[in-house]
């Protein structure tokens, strides 16, 4: 039987612990349960894709760990490394977004961008411009400017000189109170593609400096 070893890192650290604690939630690993029958239909509890989770907290007095452990019927052993400053394990920021893959609707937009000779970072993940735009606009309408900026950055990571998303980034930074950064972005996008409304706003901001 294959086992999945899941290492979960602390979500909240209030102070540095002097040692690490390993807490085994399930030991030994449970056997895979028999499929249940219900009126002739096979039912697989906690199957793949289940959103059922178990919240676990662990506190040694110096450091608290809180994690949501996904529940799967795969007989896995789950290990939580409870300790501060574990340099051997790489962490990913919780706010990091997964770029939506491009669709047929993005083809013309990408071709037009390439035709202008604008910079593309081929090492960056591919991303759906149309989907990212929709999610960015939705977050902006909801007043979640930080999230909107993250969606904007998912496009700019690959399409560095995209005028629409550079202008959106400048506006979001301005709404977040990052005036100097907004001016820098507006100056950058004006050098690529001038737009009357942005140029007027940029001149206004520069006069206020």
């Amino acid at each position: 039987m294959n086992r999945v070893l899941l290492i979960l890192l602390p979500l909240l650290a209030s102070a540095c612990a002097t040692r690490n604690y390993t807490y085994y939630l399930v030991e030994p690993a449970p056997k895979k349960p028999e499929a249940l029958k219900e009126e002739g239909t096979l039912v697989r509890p906690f199957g793949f894709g289940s959103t059922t989770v178990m919240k676990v907290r662990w506190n040694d007095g110096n450091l608290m760990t809180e994690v949501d452990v996904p529940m799967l019927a795969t007989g896995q052993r789950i290990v939580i490394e409870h300790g501060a400053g574990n340099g051997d394990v790489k962490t990913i920021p919780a706010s990091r977004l997964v770029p939506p893959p491009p669709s047929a609707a993005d083809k013309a937009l990408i071709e037009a961008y390439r035709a202008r000779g604008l910079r593309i970072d081929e090492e960056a993940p591919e991303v759906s411009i149309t989907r990212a735009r929709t999610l960015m606009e939705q977050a902006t309408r909801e007043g979640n400017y930080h999230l909107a900026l993250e969606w904007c950055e998912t496009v700019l990571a690959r399409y560095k000189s995209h005028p629409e998303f550079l202008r959106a980034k400048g506006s979001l930074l301005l709404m977040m109170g990052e005036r100097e950064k907004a001016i820098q972005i507006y100056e950058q996008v004006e050098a690529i593609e001038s737009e009357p409304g942005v140029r007027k706003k940029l001149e206004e901001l520069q006069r206020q400096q």
Side-chain angles (χ1 to χ4, degrees), residues 17 21 27 38 44 48 55 61 63 83 90 94 97 101 109 118 133 142-144 149 154 162 164 167 173 187 191-192:
Y21 293 80
E27 178 63 32
E38 182 177 343
R44 185 179 184 184
F48 291 104
K55 186 176 289 294
L63 180 69
K90 294 182 179 180
L97 302 177
L109 297 175
L118 298 176
R133 179 196 292 129
E142 294 171 353
N144 193 340
L149 183 60
T154 61
H162 201 294
E164 177 188 350
R167 284 192 283 264
L173 287 170
E187 289 175 340
I192 298 170

Side-chain angles (χ1 to χ4, degrees), residues 6-21:
L6 181 61
I7 298 178
L8 302 174
L9 299 179
L11 296 182
L12 176 63
S14 59
C16 293
T18 58
R19 54 184 177 175
N20 289 343
Y21 293 80

